[in-house]
Amino acid sequence: MMNNFVIIPLLIPFVVGVVLIFFKDNIKLQRIISTISLIATTGFAAYLVQLVYKEGILTHKLGNWDPPFGIILVADMLAALLVLTASIVALCCILFAFRSIGEKRERFYFYPLVHFLMVGVFGAFLTGDIFNLFVFFEVMLMSSYALIVIGGTRAQLRESLKYILVNVISSALFVITVAYLYSVTGTLNMADLSQRVAEVNQPGILTTIGVLFFIVFGLKAALFPMYFWLPSAYNAPPPVVTALFGALLTKVGIYSIFRTFTLIFYHQPEVTHQLIGYTALLTIVIGTVGAIAYNDMNKILIYNIVIAVGVIVYGITLTTPAGIEGAIYYLIHDMIIKASLFLLGGAIIAITGTSKLKEMGGLIQRHPQLGWMFFVAVVSLAGIPPLSGFVGKFLLVQGGLESQSYTFVIVLLVSSLMVLYSAMKIFMNCFWRAPKLTEEQEKGSTKGMLYPSAILLAISIFLGLGAEVVFPYISMAAETLMDPSIYIESVLKE
Amino acid sequence: MEILMSIVSGILFTVAVYLMLSRSILRIIIGTGILSHGVHLLLLTMGGLKAGTVPLLGENAPAYTDPLPQALILTAIVISFGVTSFFLVLAYRAYQELGTDDMDKLRGHENDE
């Protein structure tokens, strides 16, 4: 009976999303219900993490069908941690949206859409079935199509056309790959798949299917040759939507890469993992080039997403526990810090009315809290010791050295420097120098916009200073990733 | 039979890719429609096309066709139907608002709006 907890983080946003549709015009009620539901989700997710920590992997058989015949929800430590992080991020974004999104969009089902987006994200994290993963991807993507175009400005219409086209193609590729996989193995359950692939020791056809999966998830996660859609698509919607997307959508792609290549296709690392490694390295390089090149705050932050994706995905090719732990730590840190950076960026845009660095300046005089919060976020992003970015990068460097991936270590360290440069460029141009705008010329106030980012920054500081507290959970998640038999046994027991 | 179906879905993929690389939005959407047909046909083929009765237990037949791919296809059809209708309405809105259906003219520029 306790195992029913696995489905609760999925159920709350789903039911609340449906209910919110009925209160289209009552914005106040929508806000209250959304806040309560996301606080409740966060609470249950935290409880789920604790439960998984005590009792090991929890499974929930939908309709009481035994796996592999039914759909099963699996909460291992990685999934539980990501559900918790995602719900915290969603809560903070909702709080930020109250002040920033505007009544027109709020009336047009903004909150239900965010809830359905969360259903997709949580479902993708928790599912144990590959076709169900596809369905949850579509739930997530459909809500993201609507969220990216809601408001209907010219730029949003233009970019959403491209965003949808890319995702339609990658979804079609996902179904093709599932079709191939089904014809070879005859099953869709991930644990069962893992066993059957292990039995035949992953011959060439299964490695091909693995690479196809890598392309599918790489398109979602914006890896090197497949990242081209992301910079302009994420530039179009309002800042709070970009924060949600930047923190959650690409991370679901990363999580799927982690899941498929640690659980199912891990028998031919000299092909698949090398491919992943090179792609990840190029992703870091491309992201760094983009982050340095632009003089636009949004563009710089968006290319920082691309860098982080590369860094995390490389973690899967590191064979030592430290590498995997570092990747997981960095994944969680990055979800928190990217959301906080985009929210702070949104507050800056609210004041200046632009994202171009040349038109900003001197904000620190009238907005010291905003300025120093942005500074802390930047420092954490770059990985300066007391903050959360440091622990992840430290573990990744350690893992890289242990598995002798020296190129990765060099690229990672140089990219950290460039990340610091690119984000500091925003800080120096935006907050220092002579003020460009007088108090009357400011386009809006930051009233009520700072505390969501403050919550996220507090968590980031806690992840850094309280690494001792967090670490056992991370290392438990890494343990399951390193040893697929733990996962298989808890899913296919009895 | 499977080989024939594989070739047919291969042709569908070719046509879809060709259409999706063109400039007009409507051609691109037709391309996505054809792509999803190819995908669904491939899913059916990959499940195996061996002879058997329809998967209805009332038939009392010795062998049935695999019911799982049919359920997967049904799911994929409604999903792609939803996405396609959204895409079509979006293309219509974009045409009204931006005044063009030429993807080359829909490039983003740093300075517009």
Side-chain angles (χ1 to χ4, degrees):
Chain A
M1 272 296 97
M2 288 300 267
N3 287 1
N4 286 346
F5 271 107
V6 177
I7 204 171
I8 286 181
L10 247 167
L11 217 52
I12 296 174
F14 177 67
V15 173
V16 171
V18 171
V19 169
L20 284 180
I21 293 177
F22 295 103
F23 305 108
K24 177 174 183 276
D25 289 322
N26 195 342
I27 295 174
K28 203 167 179 195
L29 191 64
Q30 287 207 45
R31 288 179 177 178
I32 294 169
I33 296 178
S34 325
T35 317
I36 293 172
S37 86
L38 283 169
I39 289 174
T41 315
T42 312
F44 275 113
Y47 183 66
L48 187 65
V49 169
Q50 209 54 41
L51 214 59
V52 174
Y53 186 64
K54 272 198 221 118
E55 300 183 12
I57 297 175
L58 296 177
T59 57
H60 177 79
K61 289 180 261 185
L62 294 171
N64 239 343
W65 287 87
D66 279 330
F69 302 110
I71 289 173
I72 191 164
L73 296 180
V74 186
D76 67 341
M77 190 43 109
L78 177 61
L81 281 173
L82 289 178
V83 167
L84 176 60
T85 321
S87 50
I88 292 171
V89 167
L91 176 63
C92 292
C93 285
I94 281 271
L95 293 175
F96 188 83
F98 293 165
R99 286 282 165 195
S100 73
I101 195 79
E103 203 175 298
K104 197 177 114 210
R105 288 186 168 105
E106 280 181 307
R107 267 184 209 286
F108 243 87
Y109 307 107
F110 175 76
Y111 297 114
L113 284 171
V114 172
H115 278 85
F116 291 133
L117 183 83
M118 295 323 290
V119 175
V121 171
F122 293 152
F125 287 148
L126 289 174
T127 188
D129 182 281
I130 203 103
F131 194 78
N132 199 225
L133 178 68
F134 164 74
V135 175
F136 277 122
F137 260 109
E138 289 302 311
V139 171
M140 177 182 91
L141 288 171
M142 274 298 261
S143 336
S144 78
Y145 301 155
L147 278 173
I148 203 172
V149 81
I150 192 172
T153 63
R154 289 168 68 88
Q156 278 179 298
L157 285 169
R158 194 183 63 219
E159 297 311 329
S160 54
L161 278 175
K162 301 168 196 169
Y163 177 72
I164 294 179
L165 180 62
V166 167
N167 280 306
V168 165
I169 295 170
S170 76
S171 300
L173 199 56
F174 199 165
V175 181
I176 293 172
T177 316
V178 169
Y180 288 152
L181 188 63
Y182 180 70
S183 80
V184 176
T185 59
T187 181
L188 294 168
N189 180 290
M190 291 191 199
D192 196 30
L193 272 173
S194 172
Q195 270 190 336
R196 296 200 185 185
V197 172
E199 273 166 23
V200 291
N201 201 22
Q202 196 177 341
I205 180 71
L206 279 168
T207 309
T208 315
I209 292 171
V211 172
L212 277 174
F213 268 122
F214 179 63
I215 294 171
V216 171
F217 297 139
L219 264 163
K220 317 267 185 204
L223 280 162
F224 160 60
M226 286 111 40
Y227 76 98
F228 52 86
W229 55 271
L230 184 133
S232 52
Y234 280 21
N235 204 3
V240 59
V241 177
T242 313
L244 264 176
F245 284 15
L248 302 178
L249 295 201
T250 50
K251 278 34 176 204
V252 178
I254 297 175
Y255 167 81
S256 310
I257 292 176
F258 266 64
R259 191 55 90 208
T260 33
F261 285 94
T262 54
L263 187 62
I264 306 172
F265 304 106
Y266 57 91
H267 301 280
Q268 301 276 332
E270 67 277 6
V271 183
T272 50
H273 287 54
Q274 257 195 355
L275 178 75
I276 296 173
Y278 287 128
T279 334
L281 282 181
L282 284 168
T283 311
I284 303 175
V285 173
I286 287 289
T288 315
V289 171
I292 302 170
Y294 282 97
N295 272 317
D296 181 293
M297 183 174 67
N298 269 345
K299 280 274 161 72
I300 294 175
L301 294 180
I302 287 166
Y303 274 99
N304 271 301
I305 300 179
V306 179
I307 301 177
V309 168
V311 170
I312 300 163
V313 169
Y314 196 91
I316 196 152
T317 63
L318 299 170
T319 42
T320 62
I324 305 267
E325 279 159 8
I328 296 170
Y329 210 106
Y330 201 75
L331 179 57
I332 290 165
H333 145 80
D334 195 62
M335 287 167 81
I336 299 275
I337 208 74
K338 284 285 146 57
S340 134
L341 270 171
F342 277 109
L343 294 184
L344 290 168
I348 295 173
I349 293 175
I351 297 168
T352 61
T354 176
S355 66
K356 294 190 180 59
L357 293 183
K358 289 205 178 85
E359 293 167 24
M360 302 173 178
L363 286 188
I364 198 90
Q365 290 185 0
R366 273 193 303 277
H367 305 279
Q369 294 107 323
L370 175 63
W372 294 116
M373 275 164 68
F374 195 84
F375 182 78
V376 173
V378 166
V379 166
S380 175
L381 180 73
I384 308 286
L387 298 157
S388 61
F390 171 72
V391 191
K393 276 187 182 165
F394 174 76
L395 286 166
L396 278 169
V397 167
Q398 192 192 339
L401 291 176
E402 279 169 5
S403 51
Q404 297 180 323
S405 317
Y406 299 118
T407 334
F408 169 67
V409 174
I410 294 165
V411 169
L412 175 63
L413 293 176
V414 173
S415 82
S416 304
L417 203 62
M418 295 303 161
V419 165
L420 184 64
Y421 165 74
S422 68
M424 248 346 157
K425 191 164 74 179
I426 303 177
F427 180 75
M428 309 256 286
N429 280 299
C430 181
F431 290 99
W432 291 359
R433 299 194 311 185
K436 282 264 165 68
L437 299 168
T438 61
E439 198 158 1
E440 295 79 52
Q441 283 172 318
E442 287 181 1
K443 305 286 191 292
S445 72
T446 58
K447 187 165 160 282
M449 283 189 181
L450 292 182
Y451 69 96
S453 338
I455 299 171
L456 290 170
L457 280 179
I459 294 168
S460 162
I461 292 169
F462 168 74
L463 278 175
L465 291 177
E468 291 277 315
V469 186
V470 187
F471 194 71
Y473 297 91
I474 306 274
S475 86
M476 187 175 168
E479 200 186 336
T480 325
L481 283 192
M482 303 277 293
D483 184 6
S485 62
I486 303 175
Y487 185 96
I488 296 169
E489 266 164 38
S490 41
V491 173
L492 297 178
K493 67 190 164 197
E494 282 131 25
Chain B
M1 196 62 182
E2 273 92 347
I3 293 176
L4 187 65
M5 286 300 149
S6 307
I7 293 170
V8 172
S9 55
I11 294 170
L12 285 174
F13 288 148
T14 321
V15 174
V17 170
Y18 178 76
L19 282 173
M20 284 191 295
L21 291 175
S22 56
R23 282 166 64 169
S24 153
I25 292 180
L26 214 51
R27 280 167 151 262
I28 291 174
I29 296 176
I30 293 170
T32 60
I34 293 175
L35 180 70
S36 69
H37 286 333
V39 168
H40 300 150
L41 182 63
L42 186 82
L43 201 48
L44 194 67
T45 314
M46 285 293 153
L49 292 173
K50 285 170 211 71
T53 328
V54 286
L56 293 172
L57 286 176
E59 296 286 311
N60 285 325
Y64 296 95
T65 46
D66 191 352
L68 188 63
Q70 300 188 7
L72 301 186
I73 292 168
L74 197 58
T75 314
I77 286 175
V78 292
I79 289 174
S80 70
F81 182 73
V83 175
T84 308
S85 50
F86 187 83
F87 201 3
L88 273 169
V89 174
L90 183 71
Y92 179 61
R93 273 286 284 154
Y95 179 71
Q96 281 183 324
E97 198 82 8
L98 305 165
T100 178
D101 74 332
D102 187 340
M103 283 310 263
D104 266 5
K105 291 189 185 133
L106 287 178
R107 278 175 209 220
H109 293 294
E110 287 296 303
N111 294 324
D112 58 346
E113 179 221 4

